[in-house]
Structure formats: structure tokens, C-alpha cells
Amino acid sequence: MSTSSAKPRLKFTDETFRDGPQSVWANRMRTASMLDSAPILDECGFDRINLISGSAFETAIVYLYEDPWERLHQLRKRIKKTDTIILVRGRNLFGWKRYSDDVVELFMQRLKQIGIDWVLIFDALNDVSNVAFHVRCAKKLGMGVLGYVTYSISPAHTPEHFVQKSREFIDCGADGIVFGDASGLLTPETARANMVAIRQAFPETILEFSGHDATGLSSLCYKEAIDAGIDGVYSAARPLAYGESIPATLDLMAMADQSGLQTGLNEETLRRIDDYFLWVAYQEGRPFSRKVTPNAKNFRSFAHHQVPGGMMSHLVSQLKNLKLIDRLDEVLEETGRVREEMGYPVMVTPFSQLVTVQATFNVLEGKRYHTVPEELRLYMRGHYGQSPGQIDQNILDRVVGNEDRIDSAAVFGREMVPEFIAENGPFASDEDLLLELFNSKVVVQKYRANQKPVSRGDVPSPLHGLVQEIAKRPGLSRIAVSKGSLHLEQSI
């Protein structure tokens, strides 16, 4: 009697606490909204749950006045079955400066002590030399490591380029690769070409995919990635999916099933999570994300300038305030030109800001590179690492002149921790030290003055919330509730 072999399994990493709120709610999800749902997420069958990123860490301090370290502690206590992962932002870690190896090591030690199982590490230029130490350090501490290779469109960003960047991550010890489309720039064709190339180059290495839906093509790209033989995908609860975010978990679960793959996910529990965050969105006045309708003309325009959603809204606001919104198309056209001259940096933080600001100066002043922000000058001198393509020599000569090139690795060996303690210590804990190291004194002082305790239980369950809402409507005369074959009616 023959038995059929088990279906291969597609792994899922949940981004409801990290990428979802970062992309849709500007990271404004409160810790309280996370804590009650964490045990439910833990029962869904995910392989990993992503808890936080550098921008969420900052937002907790600057806007929510919450302790992000306490958030991590409380979430880790409630997530007992599922591996946890966080996103590490290159040499900036959870701050905005480029930090030395001793800061990286202390940071990784704290994550390990909290109980973080995995780190997902990216560099904004895909310059793996900036984060090779991070990989080795995390591995030495016993954490799993995934290298995030960021997709972009340019002559420099070819399948060969992404294979090479993947190889560099693997060579320094990463367990696997996440091919990420943070801006929604992939098409089904380019998704197929790149994923097949990476899969063929590393058939035995973990390969996962995360793609945003800014142009409405993410679902098609996920299908291509699954067909290419990837091992895992990244998704979020439906209220925090699509738009600038990634696809909904239930939709990708159905896609996996149609492709003959098992997932290990619990559909009923996933629906509870979707319902819970619909209620959180309603309670907190947050927008519901919506799918984007693909548009070829809009895609071509976006592929030229690649200004991400958050930066675009800021640019539009600034031009409106200056009563120059009619110049927006010029600025976007110039943005694509500046990006080309800068060697095609990936348009993520901080390079989306640097390129767009320079383009705005060029257009509004009527003189190209007449005013150059210091951060862009530092980039051109090599401060951030190696650009994907060659910087235009004429622009380099005009902006940098005879100034020496900066060794981006020079900061690595500097001992920042004892220096910072001597100037600003003592600190009650390493977590306090890192919190203050990652933020300015002004930010920390305001945070300390307004700090709110991390609490739970102030977001009611959907059923409790429904009862509360009904109580606010004295004009109702009858209530009917249906679920499956159950139907209840009650006169009021």
C-alpha cells in the first residue's frame, strides 16, 4: 500500500505588530492594543512574529510616550510558542547615527536577554559590509539571522546584483535571505526573474519574500515567489494589510493552498485577529487599509521617482504650504534624475529624504546643486557605504570637490559605549543607556516628562465593544445576531 508524501509547507512571518502599523498607521499602534492580541497571535500557527523596528521604537518614544523596551518584554512574555523576530536598521540600529561595533554588540545582547529568537537585518544601500558584524554577533549569541535584500529599479539592480548581495549575507553567516520589495516596485515578471535567480543560486538556503502593495501588484508577485520555490512569506492582519503595506495573511494562506502547499495556520484564529484589529482601528480612529488598483501609467511614474508613500505625503504638504504644489510634477521628474546621478540609492530612509530634498532645491532655486544638504554631501563622500551604481563624476566634482572620501567603516572600531557613559551616565540599565544613545537629549527629556505606563485591557473585545456601541444608541428597538446556524433576536 503506497502513501502519498506530505505536502510541502510554506512558512509565515506575521507583521501585524511591525510592518502593518508602520505602513498604514505611521507606527501609532499602542502597546496596549498589542498585548491583548499577542496570546491569540501565538495560537495562529505562525513561524515567527515580528515585534518592532527602529522606526517603531522611535515612534513609541516620540509620539506615544511609551517605553519600547517594556513593550518587547511584555510581548515576549505573552508569546510562548512562536519564534519572535525584529527588524534591525543597518548601522543605525534603533537610532539615526552610525553606531560602532560595541553598540551593536550591547544591542544584540539586550535582544537575546529579552528572548528575541531572530533578527532580520538590512542595509539601506544593500552594502552588506555595513552589517556583517551584526550577523556574526547575533549568530554568536545563538539567534537566527535573515539578511534583507532590498529590491529597486535601476540599471544597477539586476538579478545578478541581488544574487551577489544574498551571497555576501550568507558568506558572513546569515541563515537565510528575505528578498524584500519595500516600495511595491516589483512586477510579476521581475519578481519571477529575481526570485528564480536567487533560488537557483542558493537551493538549500532559507529564501523568503516580503512585498508591499503600493502599486497593487503584490499578490501577483507573491504568487510568482511561491512558484519559484521560496520557503516563507510575510503578511499582516487584514486591517493592516495592502495599500502601502503587505498582503493579508488569509489571502496568502488561500494562495498557498491553491499552490498545493500547507501552512500550519489556524483559519478561525486568524479571523479572530482580523476582527480584533478592525475593532482597534475603530477605537483608535485609524484608517482601514484598502487594496490598490494597478495602473500602468501610475506605475511608470512611480518607477521613475520611487518616492515612498510617507515621503510623498510630506513633500505634498510642504509644497502646499509654500503655495507651490503646481511644481510637484517637476520635483518628481527631477527626483528621478538626481537619484540616477547619485548612483541609484534605494529609496528608503534616509536616501528617499536626501534625494527628494535635493531635487526640491534644484527645482525651486532654478539652479541644480546650488544648495546641497550636508547629509547628501556625506553620502557622496562615502559616509554611508558603497552606492549601488556609480555617482555621476561631474556632480561629484561640483559637490565634493577636493574633499577626501570618507571610510564608512571608520566608525566600526570606535568605542562609543564607554564614551557615552562617561559623558551622560550613569544609567539604571543597559536598556536606558541604549534608549538615550538612540535619541537626542531633547527627545528623551520630553519622553521622561510625559511617559505613560504600558498597560493592557483598555481595548475591549469586539463583543464587549459591540455591546458598548449598542448602549450608545437609545433609539434601537431590536437586536439580531447571527453566526453560522445560530441566530438570536432580542427586543429592547
Side-chain angles (χ1 to χ4, degrees):
M1 177 177 172
S2 63
T3 58
S4 59
S5 59
K7 293 192 296 184
R9 181 166 172 270
L10 184 68
K11 297 181 178 181
F12 275 71
T13 297
D14 177 72
E15 291 277 5
T16 302
F17 292 155
R18 206 284 301 176
D19 202 346
Q22 178 173 322
S23 299
V24 180
W25 295 352
N27 277 318
R28 298 307 198 273
M29 185 187 289
R30 299 176 305 131
T31 302
S33 298
M34 301 178 185
L35 296 186
D36 284 339
S37 64
I40 308 173
L41 270 177
D42 198 25
E43 297 293 335
C44 286
F46 289 108
D47 293 272
R48 307 183 203 96
I49 298 172
N50 201 332
L51 302 185
I52 204 167
S53 66
S55 60
F57 190 94
E58 179 189 31
T59 299
I61 295 166
V62 176
Y63 298 104
L64 301 177
Y65 303 120
E66 295 182 347
D67 184 349
W69 290 117
E70 183 63 16
R71 175 187 296 182
L72 287 174
H73 282 287
Q74 293 297 331
L75 287 174
R76 196 63 190 88
K77 287 179 183 177
R78 288 164 173 79
I79 299 171
K80 300 177 180 179
K81 299 179 179 179
T82 313
D83 278 1
T84 54
I85 186 170
I86 67 159
L87 179 67
V88 177
R89 185 173 57 197
R91 273 284 153 181
N92 302 122
L93 302 176
F94 280 2
W96 289 102
K97 296 178 182 178
R98 287 171 58 80
Y99 298 103
S100 55
D101 287 349
D102 66 334
V103 177
V104 174
E105 187 169 19
L106 180 62
F107 174 74
M108 293 293 182
Q109 288 170 350
R110 287 309 311 150
L111 297 181
K112 178 63 177 178
Q113 289 165 4
I114 290 169
I116 303 302
D117 302 290
W118 291 78
V119 287
L120 174 58
I121 301 172
F122 84 101
D123 177 77
L125 290 174
N126 285 329
D127 185 347
V128 179
S129 66
N130 280 326
V131 293
F133 180 82
H134 301 46
V135 176
R136 294 192 296 270
C137 184
K139 290 299 296 178
K140 185 177 179 180
L141 290 167
M143 290 188 282
V145 178
L146 296 173
Y148 188 101
V149 176
T150 309
Y151 177 73
S152 188
I153 296 176
S154 82
H157 292 95
T158 63
E160 294 76 17
H161 170 85
F162 297 120
V163 166
Q164 176 58 32
K165 295 303 170 181
S166 300
R167 179 174 288 107
E168 291 170 12
F169 264 120
I170 294 166
D171 286 347
C172 62
D175 297 288
I177 299 299
V178 177
F179 185 59
D181 180 15
S183 301
L185 288 164
L186 279 170
T187 65
E189 294 75 21
T190 53
R192 183 186 315 121
N194 285 285
M195 298 302 285
V196 166
I198 300 173
R199 179 77 290 172
Q200 289 180 347
F202 309 103
E204 304 300 323
T205 301
I206 297 171
L207 177 59
E208 300 178 345
F209 177 62
S210 174
H212 286 230
D213 195 53
T215 57
L217 298 172
S218 67
S219 294
L220 295 173
C221 294
Y222 271 81
K223 182 63 170 66
E224 293 291 346
I226 290 172
D227 290 346
I230 61 167
D231 302 294
V233 293
Y234 290 66
S235 62
R238 189 172 301 280
L240 293 141
Y242 298 111
E244 295 292 333
S245 186
I246 55 181
T249 301
L250 281 168
D251 292 346
L252 293 185
M253 181 182 175
M255 185 184 294
D257 184 64
Q258 292 167 5
S259 297
L261 303 171
Q262 60 175 322
T263 64
L265 296 174
N266 185 309
E267 183 174 347
E268 182 179 350
T269 311
L270 289 171
R271 294 192 184 280
R272 286 181 62 196
I273 287 293
D274 284 358
D275 289 344
Y276 176 86
F277 283 102
L278 276 172
W279 184 244
V280 169
Y282 174 76
Q283 285 286 95
E284 297 189 10
R286 303 297 179 198
F288 299 129
S289 188
R290 295 288 184 267
K291 287 187 176 182
V292 176
T293 301
N295 181 293
K297 181 180 178 181
N298 290 345
F299 183 90
R300 287 193 296 272
S301 174
F302 180 53
H304 173 72
H305 62 73
Q306 301 183 29
V307 177
M311 186 64 204
M312 180 66 79
S313 60
H314 180 73
L315 174 63
V316 169
S317 175
Q318 292 291 94
L319 290 177
K320 282 182 177 177
N321 290 339
L322 295 170
K323 301 188 185 310
L324 293 170
I325 191 61
D326 59 311
R327 311 288 300 274
L328 176 62
D329 287 345
E330 291 178 71
V331 172
L332 294 178
E333 178 65 29
E334 177 67 5
T335 298
R337 186 180 176 189
V338 170
R339 178 174 176 260
E340 177 180 355
E341 292 165 342
M342 294 299 101
Y344 299 107
V346 180
M347 291 292 275
V348 296
T349 299
F351 306 113
S352 56
Q353 291 89 337
L354 296 183
V355 172
T356 307
V357 167
Q358 185 62 61
T360 304
F361 279 135
N362 289 357
V363 169
L364 300 188
E365 293 183 337
K367 297 179 181 179
R368 304 191 76 240
Y369 299 99
H370 177 70
T371 298
V372 179
E374 181 59 25
E375 287 300 311
L376 187 67
R377 196 185 307 275
L378 287 172
Y379 161 78
M380 295 177 71
R381 293 179 60 198
H383 174 72
Y384 291 98
Q386 182 61 49
S387 59
Q390 291 295 316
I391 297 175
D392 185 285
Q393 190 61 48
N394 291 329
I395 304 301
L396 190 64
D397 291 341
R398 184 189 310 177
V399 173
V400 175
N402 294 324
E403 292 183 82
D404 293 335
R405 183 170 177 81
I406 296 172
D407 178 7
S408 63
V411 71
F412 298 177
R414 177 181 166 190
E415 293 191 350
M416 286 187 174
V417 172
E419 180 181 305
F420 191 77
I421 293 173
E423 294 177 359
N424 302 278
F427 297 97
S429 67
D430 288 341
E431 290 178 1
D432 275 349
L433 186 161
L434 289 168
L435 187 148
E436 297 203 19
L437 182 62
F438 293 151
N439 295 275
S440 70
K441 288 185 178 180
V442 172
V443 164
V444 172
Q445 287 171 356
K446 188 175 180 181
Y447 160 70
R448 299 290 188 202
N450 295 279
Q451 186 175 353
K452 298 176 182 178
V454 170
S455 60
R456 62 171 301 205
D458 59 345
V459 180
S461 69
L463 180 59
H464 184 198
L466 176 62
V467 173
Q468 287 182 329
E469 290 299 309
I470 290 171
K472 296 176 185 177
R473 292 164 169 76
L476 292 177
S477 60
R478 182 175 294 275
I479 299 172
V481 179
S482 297
K483 182 177 181 181
S485 60
L486 177 66
H487 182 79
L488 302 174
E489 262 190 66
Q490 177 67 49
S491 297
I492 300 177

